[in-house]
Amino acid sequence: MPFENLLRFSNKSFRGFTLIETLIVIFIISLFSAAGVLGYTGYRQKANLRIAAQQVYSDIRDTQNLALATVRHNGDIPSGGYGLRFTTADSASYIIFADDDGNYEYDAPDEKIEKKDLPSGIEISEIKISGIATSPVDIVFFPPKPTVYINQNSATSPSTITLKIKGESCPEGCKNVIVNNVGVVETN
Protein backbone atom coordinates (compact mmCIF):
# COMPACT_ATOMS: atom_id res chain seq x y z
CA MET A 1 0.00 0.00 0.00
CA PRO A 2 2.71 2.58 0.78
CA PHE A 3 4.23 2.01 -2.66
CA GLU A 4 0.95 2.87 -4.39
CA ASN A 5 0.72 6.08 -2.41
CA LEU A 6 4.22 7.03 -3.54
CA LEU A 7 3.33 6.53 -7.20
CA ARG A 8 0.17 8.52 -6.86
CA PHE A 9 2.08 11.37 -5.18
CA SER A 10 4.78 11.48 -7.84
CA ASN A 11 2.27 11.53 -10.72
CA LYS A 12 0.55 14.56 -9.26
CA SER A 13 3.82 16.49 -8.60
CA PHE A 14 5.52 16.27 -12.01
CA ARG A 15 3.59 17.57 -14.98
CA GLY A 16 6.48 18.25 -17.47
CA PHE A 17 7.09 21.19 -19.83
CA THR A 18 4.73 22.56 -22.42
CA LEU A 19 5.74 22.95 -26.04
CA ILE A 20 5.73 26.75 -25.69
CA GLU A 21 8.09 26.66 -22.71
CA THR A 22 10.49 24.36 -24.60
CA LEU A 23 10.46 26.60 -27.68
CA ILE A 24 11.17 29.70 -25.58
CA VAL A 25 14.17 28.02 -23.94
CA ILE A 26 15.52 26.90 -27.35
CA PHE A 27 15.07 30.44 -28.69
CA ILE A 28 16.97 31.99 -25.76
CA ILE A 29 19.83 29.50 -26.12
CA SER A 30 19.99 30.24 -29.87
CA LEU A 31 20.25 33.99 -29.20
CA PHE A 32 23.13 33.52 -26.77
CA SER A 33 24.90 31.17 -29.18
CA ALA A 34 24.58 33.62 -32.09
CA ALA A 35 25.91 36.48 -29.96
CA GLY A 36 28.88 34.35 -28.93
CA VAL A 37 29.72 33.37 -32.50
CA LEU A 38 29.54 36.98 -33.70
CA GLY A 39 31.73 38.17 -30.84
CA TYR A 40 34.28 35.46 -31.53
CA THR A 41 34.42 36.31 -35.26
CA GLY A 42 35.16 39.97 -34.50
CA TYR A 43 37.80 39.00 -31.97
CA ARG A 44 39.43 36.61 -34.45
CA GLN A 45 39.60 39.30 -37.16
CA LYS A 46 41.26 41.78 -34.79
CA ALA A 47 43.71 39.09 -33.69
CA ASN A 48 44.57 38.37 -37.35
CA LEU A 49 45.16 42.10 -37.88
CA ARG A 50 47.59 42.24 -34.94
CA ILE A 51 49.33 39.09 -36.24
CA ALA A 52 49.64 40.59 -39.74
CA ALA A 53 51.14 43.85 -38.41
CA GLN A 54 53.64 41.90 -36.33
CA GLN A 55 54.48 39.67 -39.31
CA VAL A 56 55.18 42.68 -41.56
CA TYR A 57 57.22 44.33 -38.80
CA SER A 58 59.29 41.17 -38.27
CA ASP A 59 59.86 40.63 -41.99
CA ILE A 60 61.07 44.22 -42.41
CA ARG A 61 63.49 43.67 -39.52
CA ASP A 62 64.65 40.31 -40.93
CA THR A 63 65.25 41.90 -44.35
CA GLN A 64 67.21 44.69 -42.69
CA ASN A 65 69.32 42.06 -40.93
CA LEU A 66 70.02 40.28 -44.24
CA ALA A 67 71.55 43.54 -45.50
CA LEU A 68 73.50 44.12 -42.29
CA ALA A 69 74.95 40.61 -42.39
CA THR A 70 75.70 40.91 -46.14
CA VAL A 71 74.12 37.52 -46.76
CA ARG A 72 74.75 36.01 -50.20
CA HIS A 73 71.93 35.45 -52.68
CA ASN A 74 72.58 33.08 -55.60
CA GLY A 75 76.26 33.03 -54.63
CA ASP A 76 76.81 36.81 -54.54
CA ILE A 77 76.06 39.69 -52.21
CA PRO A 78 73.23 41.61 -53.92
CA SER A 79 74.61 44.85 -55.37
CA GLY A 80 71.50 46.75 -54.25
CA GLY A 81 70.91 45.08 -50.89
CA TYR A 82 67.70 43.42 -49.71
CA GLY A 83 64.18 44.76 -49.82
CA LEU A 84 60.44 44.33 -49.61
CA ARG A 85 57.78 45.23 -52.16
CA PHE A 86 54.31 46.25 -51.01
CA THR A 87 51.51 46.92 -53.48
CA THR A 88 47.79 47.48 -53.23
CA ALA A 89 47.35 45.61 -56.54
CA ASP A 90 48.22 42.34 -54.73
CA SER A 91 46.81 43.38 -51.37
CA ALA A 92 46.95 39.94 -49.73
CA SER A 93 50.74 39.50 -49.92
CA TYR A 94 54.13 41.17 -50.28
CA ILE A 95 57.55 40.14 -51.60
CA ILE A 96 60.96 39.90 -49.96
CA PHE A 97 63.69 40.28 -52.57
CA ALA A 98 67.43 40.58 -53.20
CA ASP A 99 68.21 43.58 -55.42
CA ASP A 100 70.75 41.84 -57.65
CA ASP A 101 70.93 44.59 -60.29
CA GLY A 102 71.51 47.47 -57.83
CA ASN A 103 68.61 49.72 -58.87
CA TYR A 104 66.92 49.67 -55.41
CA GLU A 105 63.64 48.20 -56.68
CA TYR A 106 62.02 44.84 -57.34
CA ASP A 107 61.98 44.42 -61.09
CA ALA A 108 62.79 40.80 -61.91
CA PRO A 109 61.22 37.51 -60.79
CA ASP A 110 64.67 36.02 -60.14
CA GLU A 111 65.22 38.67 -57.42
CA LYS A 112 62.33 37.25 -55.38
CA ILE A 113 63.36 35.40 -52.23
CA GLU A 114 59.89 34.81 -50.83
CA LYS A 115 56.28 35.86 -51.27
CA LYS A 116 54.59 36.34 -47.90
CA ASP A 117 50.83 35.98 -47.55
CA LEU A 118 48.89 37.99 -44.99
CA PRO A 119 46.48 36.16 -42.66
CA SER A 120 43.00 35.46 -44.02
CA GLY A 121 40.72 38.50 -44.10
CA ILE A 122 43.58 41.04 -43.93
CA GLU A 123 44.69 43.27 -46.81
CA ILE A 124 47.11 46.07 -47.61
CA SER A 125 44.65 48.93 -48.00
CA GLU A 126 46.97 51.89 -48.49
CA ILE A 127 50.66 52.74 -48.80
CA LYS A 128 51.92 56.26 -48.27
CA ILE A 129 55.27 57.98 -48.60
CA SER A 130 55.41 61.37 -46.87
CA GLY A 131 51.63 61.24 -46.53
CA ILE A 132 51.04 60.75 -50.28
CA ALA A 133 49.38 57.52 -51.41
CA THR A 134 51.52 55.50 -53.78
CA SER A 135 51.79 51.92 -54.95
CA PRO A 136 53.95 49.92 -55.30
CA VAL A 137 56.53 50.77 -52.66
CA ASP A 138 59.97 49.17 -52.51
CA ILE A 139 61.81 49.45 -49.20
CA VAL A 140 65.45 48.47 -49.73
CA PHE A 141 68.22 48.13 -47.15
CA PHE A 142 71.66 48.65 -48.67
CA PRO A 143 74.69 47.33 -46.72
CA PRO A 144 76.73 47.91 -44.68
CA LYS A 145 74.91 50.50 -42.48
CA PRO A 146 72.27 49.73 -43.97
CA THR A 147 71.11 52.77 -45.90
CA VAL A 148 67.35 52.77 -46.46
CA TYR A 149 65.94 53.41 -49.93
CA ILE A 150 62.20 53.94 -50.23
CA ASN A 151 61.22 53.87 -53.90
CA GLN A 152 64.86 54.42 -54.94
CA ASN A 153 65.30 57.50 -52.73
CA SER A 154 67.42 57.50 -49.57
CA ALA A 155 66.20 60.89 -48.33
CA THR A 156 62.49 60.10 -48.30
CA SER A 157 60.22 60.66 -45.37
CA PRO A 158 58.61 57.66 -43.70
CA SER A 159 56.63 55.04 -45.58
CA THR A 160 53.38 53.89 -44.00
CA ILE A 161 51.82 50.54 -44.87
CA THR A 162 48.20 50.35 -43.72
CA LEU A 163 46.82 46.87 -43.05
CA LYS A 164 43.05 46.54 -42.81
CA ILE A 165 40.42 43.96 -41.97
CA LYS A 166 38.45 43.42 -45.20
CA GLY A 167 35.09 45.12 -44.95
CA GLU A 168 36.03 47.21 -41.88
CA SER A 169 36.80 50.92 -41.71
CA CYS A 170 39.75 52.71 -40.18
CA PRO A 171 40.90 53.38 -37.50
CA GLU A 172 39.19 50.47 -35.65
CA GLY A 173 39.90 47.90 -38.37
CA CYS A 174 43.41 49.11 -39.31
CA LYS A 175 47.04 48.89 -38.21
CA ASN A 176 49.96 50.90 -39.62
CA VAL A 177 53.54 49.74 -40.07
CA ILE A 178 55.90 52.69 -40.49
CA VAL A 179 59.48 52.61 -41.81
CA ASN A 180 61.50 55.81 -41.76
CA ASN A 181 64.57 56.75 -43.79
CA VAL A 182 67.02 55.60 -41.10
CA GLY A 183 65.44 52.16 -40.79
CA VAL A 184 63.36 52.58 -37.64
CA VAL A 185 60.26 50.38 -37.86
CA GLU A 186 57.17 50.83 -35.70
CA THR A 187 53.53 49.74 -35.60
CA ASN A 188 50.47 51.58 -34.35
Side-chain angles (χ1 to χ4, degrees), residues 23-174:
L23 289 175
I24 290 172
V25 169
I26 290 172
F27 177 74
I28 292 171
I29 290 172
S30 298
L31 280 178
F32 285 137
S33 297
V37 167
L38 291 175
Y40 176 75
T41 301
Y43 168 78
R44 188 73 193 139
Q45 288 177 330
K46 288 190 186 295
N48 278 348
L49 180 61
R50 287 189 302 273
I51 289 167
Q54 189 59 45
Q55 173 187 328
V56 170
Y57 175 91
S58 294
D59 286 337
I60 291 171
R61 283 295 196 200
D62 290 345
T63 304
Q64 192 175 37
N65 287 333
L66 288 172
L68 280 168
T70 59
V71 174
R72 294 183 181 279
H73 177 255
N74 294 334
D76 293 318
I77 296 171
S79 60
Y82 287 91
L84 300 100
R85 168 162 280 197
F86 297 93
T87 177
T88 54
D90 182 8
S91 64
S93 63
Y94 55 95
I95 294 172
I96 299 174
F97 67 94
D99 184 22
D100 293 325
D101 58 9
N103 64 353
Y104 308 117
E105 70 178 355
Y106 175 72
D107 56 3
D110 62 330
E111 289 184 336
K112 179 167 67 174
I113 294 174
E114 185 176 5
K115 182 176 182 178
K116 300 287 255 187
D117 293 324
L118 294 172
S120 176
I122 306 299
E123 65 184 355
I124 299 169
S125 69
E126 186 175 52
I127 308 166
K128 290 184 178 181
I129 298 175
S130 304
I132 299 168
T134 186
S135 181
V137 169
D138 293 317
I139 301 169
V140 178
F141 300 99
F142 181 73
K145 292 183 188 176
T147 305
V148 180
Y149 289 88
I150 300 175
N151 277 8
Q152 301 176 311
N153 189 343
S154 65
T156 341
S157 294
S159 177
T160 304
I161 299 121
T162 302
L163 304 173
K164 183 174 89 93
I165 298 171
K166 290 180 183 174
E168 293 282 324
S169 60
C170 294
E172 298 85 25
C174 294

